[in-house]
């Protein structure tokens, strides 16, 4: 299949591109589009056959439901049997924006979208290109992130094309996504709103408006809990090389561990902040060391995280060591994605020595 491509211009309605892309959607095809979080893979959310093409292009398991994207608050009304007070308050405060609400679904939502659940996920993105596109289509747009299932989500057009060229009918290129991590998913059908996936609308922002907010316990990686968002159970965001995530005080040991891994002849990828980058300046002259530094802020890390993880697939080190961040604010979403990228290979410091969570055996180069 030929993938049509349109470069979108800021401060323009991009009328021709939007009309052509919308015509493909109306014909039941799949088109990728930018949002403020990550790129989406969109199809007519009320057309079962079109939605099936999204699953095929991504290689996505059928039991993982999709988000319906809308371009005005009122457009949620026909998709649900009704909104409770919590849902209404969340909409009022956080839409448009990176917040997806789980609500009880109405009968017009195809089973393919909700994966057979009684609920449906709905989001009103704040990205202007996304809004113009959805409006031009005139229907709710079902869209997952535009990656092949299991890979990091794409945050620029080139990363979308790397996964989707030839598999989808069109691609709207709106430049880089600002936030870089997928939307916060909140279940509003429980008495207390529950975060099923952390994202750009943080726990702190939600509690400030809503009072009590819960976090799905499965997000801590405890195997005794089954995640309520089906997508959270899959290995995700994972580069091809094994990733170890250093948490808390274990980060202090990173320079030592890196030196040892290099001495053992390994090529090492390191994902770290500015302070550690400076500390590693001397080691960084080594050919075998690839430093991916996210800069000075956690917002910058969120924006760059998926791009940096994808970059490691281009360079293919033997092992990737990631420096964790604290979990306040956007840190909760960052650590959630990093833990999944690491397949829950988490390194902590206990009584002065390194430990691999859930396992007795540390890799050789981490034994001190
Ligand atoms: O920022 C985003 O949300 C991006 C952009 C494109 O909008 N989309 C996105 O979609 O990340 P996706 O499909 O990659 O992730 C949707 C998540 C999955 O974990 C899925 O299991 C969960 O939302 N989800 C969807 N419908 C659900 C439902 N009815 N109940 C619980 N979880 C649901
Ligand atoms: Mg996804």
């Amino acid at each position: 299949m030929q993938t049509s491509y349109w470069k979108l211009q800021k401060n323009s309605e991009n009328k021709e591109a939007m009309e052509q892309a919308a015509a493909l959607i109306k014909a039941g095809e799949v088109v990728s589009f930018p949002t403020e979080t990550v790129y989406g893979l969109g199809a007519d959310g009320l057309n079962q056959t079109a939605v099936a093409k999204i699953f095929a292009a991504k290689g996505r398991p059928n039991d993982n439901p999709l988000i319906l994207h809308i371009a005005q608050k009122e457009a949620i009304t026909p998709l649900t049997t009704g909104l409770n007070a919590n849902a209404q308050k969340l909409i009022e405060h956080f839409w448009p924006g990176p917040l997806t609400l789980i609500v009880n679904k109405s009968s017009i939502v195809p089973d393919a979208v909700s994966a057979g659940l009684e609920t449906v996920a709905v989001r009103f993105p704040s990205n202007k290109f996304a809004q113009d596109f959805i409006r031009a289509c005139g229907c709710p747009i079902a869209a997952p992130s535009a990656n092949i299932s299991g890979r990091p989500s794409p945050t620029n057009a080139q990363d979308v094309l790397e996964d989707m060229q030839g598999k989808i009918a069109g691609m709207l290129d709106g430049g880089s996504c600002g936030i870089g991590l997928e939307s916060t998913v909140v279940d509003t059908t429980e008495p207390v709103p529950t975060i099923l996936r952390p994202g750009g609308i943080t726990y702190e922002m939600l509690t400030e408006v809503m009072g009590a907010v819960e976090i799905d316990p499965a997000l801590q990686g405890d195997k005794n809990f089954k995640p309520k968002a089906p997508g959270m159970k899959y290995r995700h965001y994972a580069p091809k090389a094994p990733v170890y995530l250093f948490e808390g005080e274990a980060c202090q040991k990173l320079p030592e561990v890196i030196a040892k891994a290099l001495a053992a002849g390994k090529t090492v990828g390191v994902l770290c902040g500015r302070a550690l980058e400076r500390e590693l300046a001397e080691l960084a002259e080594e050919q075998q060391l690839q430093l991916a530094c996210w800069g000075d802020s956690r917002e910058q890390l969120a924006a760059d995280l998926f791009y940096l993880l994808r970059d490691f697939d281009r360079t293919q080190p033997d092992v990737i060591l990631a420096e964790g961040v604290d979990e306040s604010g956007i840190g909760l979403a960052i650590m959630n994605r990093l833990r999944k990228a690491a397949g829950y290979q988490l390194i902590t410091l206990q009584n002065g020595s390194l430990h691999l969570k859930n396992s007795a055996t540390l890799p050789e180069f981490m034994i001190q």
Side-chain angles (χ1 to χ4, degrees), residues 38 58 60 64 144-147 149-153 182 197 236-237:
V38 300
K58 274 185 72 94
R60 180 170 173 115
N64 192 3
S145 49
N147 49 291
S149 220
R151 295 206 70 202
S153 301
E182 305 88 346
R197 177 177 72 181
H236 202 190
Y237 316 115

Side-chain angles (χ1 to χ4, degrees), residues 35 37-40 58 60 64-67 69 100 102 117 119-121 123 143-145 181-183 185 196-197 228-232:
T35 81
T37 58
V38 300
Y39 272 79
K58 274 185 72 94
R60 180 170 173 115
N64 192 3
L66 305 178
I67 298 171
H69 295 69
T100 294
I102 307 296
L117 298 176
T119 53
V120 63
R123 169 160 124 78
S145 49
L181 300 179
E182 305 88 346
S183 62
V185 177
L196 307 188
R197 177 177 72 181
K228 287 195 195 138
M232 298 304 277

